């Protein structure tokens, strides 16, 4: 899960997807990172922590880190929160970039639309609530799409 600062959106995405995977019995390794590195070593923004906690998810132990090109090799899927993040991921990844692995996170919910999760960084708590809801819906869609693909693959064997 990748955003710019790795303190607002992608920590929510990491926390929500991790909980969803545990609930679904999936043992996926979930991580998040930011393309700008401005907040490396910091915990998630206090409002991201607050909205996560309101929804029963503790993200307080996450630590911001910068996205690196080796992440493209280390993970099966890389989800970007917005188009500016996609452009930065392409720059950082260089010739490691793999279009089959990297996608806009909201494409799980709205295929091929390349939509942004709005950045709540400059706003108030409402923006963080909205980001939470959108990310939560996209996580649910991701798992639904995963299980649908799994079923199709298995019935073809
Ligand atoms: P995020 O929000 O990408 O959702 O973590 C931001 C946090 C910090 C900055 C930009 C976006 N910043 O420029 O410091």
């Amino acid at each position: 899960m990748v955003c710019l600062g790795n303190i607002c959106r992608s920590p929510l995405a990491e926390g929500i997807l991790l909980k969803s995977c545990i609930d679904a019995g999936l043992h996926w390794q979930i991580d998040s990172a930011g393309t700008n590195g401005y907040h490396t070593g910091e915990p998630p923004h206090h409002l991201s922590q607050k909205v996560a906690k309101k929804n029963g998810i503790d993200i307080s132990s996450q630590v911001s880190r910068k996205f690196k090109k080796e992440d493209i090799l280390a993970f099966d899927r890389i989800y970007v929160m917005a188009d500016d993040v996609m452009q930065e991921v392409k720059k950082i990844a260089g010739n490691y970039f793999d279009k089959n692995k990297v996608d806009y996170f909201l494409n799980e919910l709205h295929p091929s639309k390349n939509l942004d999760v709005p950045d709540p960084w400059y706003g108030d708590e409402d923006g963080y609530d909205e980001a939470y809801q959108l990310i939560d819906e996209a996580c649910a869609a991701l798992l639904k799409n995963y299980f649908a693909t799994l079923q199709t693959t298995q019935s073809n064997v």
Side-chain angles (χ1 to χ4, degrees), residues 10 14 18 24 41 44 50 65 86 124:
S10 60
E14 178 185 336
L18 183 60
K50 187 176 173 186
R65 73 169 177 91
M86 177 64 94
D124 57 18

Side-chain angles (χ1 to χ4, degrees), residues 3-9 36 38-39 119 121:
C3 63
L4 295 174
N6 190 212
I7 55 164
C8 300
R9 292 165 293 179
N36 69 23
Y38 296 166
H39 299 273
D119 191 349
W121 170 244

Side-chain angles (χ1 to χ4, degrees), residues 27-66:
H27 301 277
W28 290 355
Q29 187 194 344
I30 320 281
D31 199 3
S32 64
T35 52
N36 69 23
Y38 296 166
H39 299 273
T40 294
E42 294 178 20
H45 190 282
H46 70 99
L47 289 174
S48 281
Q49 291 195 42
K50 187 176 173 186
V51 300
K53 202 171 175 185
K54 276 198 286 195
N55 289 279
I57 297 177
D58 181 4
I59 60 168
S60 62
S61 59
Q62 289 185 32
V63 180
S64 174
R65 73 169 177 91
K66 192 172 190 299

